Every structure is written in C-alpha cells, then in structure tokens.
Amino acid sequence: MKKIILLSLLSVLILSCKSNSATSTKIDSKSQMAIKGEWRVSSVSYPGSEVIKVTSFDLADSKCFIGSTWKFVSMSNKGNMALNSSSCTAYSTPISWFINKEGEFVLKILDESKAKTVKSGYVLRVANQTGSSFQLIDKINVGGTLTDVVYQFEKLN
C-alpha cells in the first residue's frame, strides 16, 4: 500500500510516500461504476513469495481482511469497509475512494473524519475486473524485493 498525502484541496495532488510520482486524480468512471455495490474479500495472497506477515492499511494482519465486506458508492466516491473475521478484532469504517485513468484505486480510511481532513491514504492497482470480481494489488517491500499482495473481491449483490 502506498501511503499518500493530499497537498492541496484545490489541486487534489496526491503524492506517494514510496515514490515521488504523482497519482492522477482523473477518474475512470467506467471502472468505478463496475464496482459499485457490496463486495467481499474472498482471499489475500502473495504470489511468488514465501509466507509473509503483512499489516494491511495500517489496521490489521492481511488475513483478517478475508471475509471483510466493502460497500462502494460510485457516484459519491464513499463507502464502508468492515472486518468481521472471528479470529480478528471487528472493525468498521467509512471510506472515500476513486479509480483513476491509470487503473489505480485510491483509498482513504475516514474513521469519523471527513475526507477533506484526512491527509493520507493508500494507492493500489485494479486488476482482472469483471462484473462479479476484481483484484486490488499492493506492492510492498520485503527484504529489498517488491512483492504483490493481492486482495480478491467477489460481488455480493
């Protein structure tokens, strides 16, 4: 997960803490409309890597996200995310999100804050998007090697 920082509310320029490249804010409306609704994370995997422990979104172990439910409202770029695994601490939060023209999913975890006041977030890549599933892919550094963390989403409704 790339942490991002909002530099200006007017320009909404987003910079990644992992690199100096700017994240585009031009929205891909077609991709956004395709994921509106309610989804569940069916799996979290690390293709091509050994067993690793990942704390996702600075919240919980990545495996706690298996079974989590996500609601995406495409017109307002709002939604909700809820961790509900019996082996993990329950957690629910409103979110703000969008998909840009480069296929990046930009996420802010709002807790009780408004999106404008949250100064950081996460950038993941959208992949393998169909009407009933899609993936969010994060790149993390494990011992100097970039490793993918793949969150597989399945549509609930």
Side-chain angles (χ1 to χ4, degrees):
M1 278 156 280
K2 295 179 184 176
K3 223 166 197 194
I4 56 174
I5 301 168
L6 291 181
L7 297 178
S8 165
L9 293 177
L10 294 176
S11 67
V12 193
L13 177 63
I14 303 173
L15 298 177
S16 165
C17 288
K18 288 186 177 177
S19 72
N20 291 328
S21 63
T23 299
S24 171
T25 58
K26 293 185 185 222
I27 292 174
D28 182 344
S29 299
K30 184 178 177 185
S31 292
Q32 282 196 185
M33 290 300 290
I35 68 166
K36 73 178 184 179
E38 295 184 28
W39 298 79
R40 175 170 315 192
V41 175
S42 59
S43 67
V44 179
S45 61
Y46 323 103
S49 69
E50 298 298 317
V51 176
I52 57 176
K53 183 174 174 73
V54 175
T55 300
S56 295
F57 308 106
D58 296 320
L59 292 173
D61 183 275
S62 61
K63 296 301 181 183
C64 291
F65 281 80
I66 298 171
S68 65
T69 53
W70 297 63
K71 181 176 182 178
F72 300 108
V73 180
S74 62
M75 297 305 283
S76 67
N77 298 88
K78 301 285 185 207
N80 188 284
M81 180 252 313
L83 303 180
N84 44 32
S85 170
S86 61
S87 59
C88 301
T89 302
Y91 177 77
S92 180
T93 186
I95 61 173
S96 175
W97 65 280
F98 68 90
I99 299 173
N100 67 21
K101 295 279 187 184
E102 284 73 34
E104 295 173 318
F105 181 91
V106 181
L107 170 71
K108 286 186 187 180
I109 296 177
L110 302 179
D111 289 318
E112 298 304 317
S113 305
K114 294 195 181 278
K116 314 186 228 194
T117 62
V118 175
K119 303 291 184 217
S120 64
Y122 306 90
V123 179
L124 298 95
R125 186 171 47 89
V126 178
N128 302 315
Q129 190 175 19
T130 70
S132 61
S133 68
F134 71 96
Q135 295 173 330
L136 290 181
I137 302 174
D138 186 19
K139 288 241 183 248
I140 62 168
N141 187 329
V142 178
T145 302
L146 286 180
T147 301
D148 287 345
V149 179
V150 180
Y151 301 87
Q152 179 69 46
F153 283 79
E154 303 296 332
K155 190 147 181 82
L156 292 176
N157 63 359

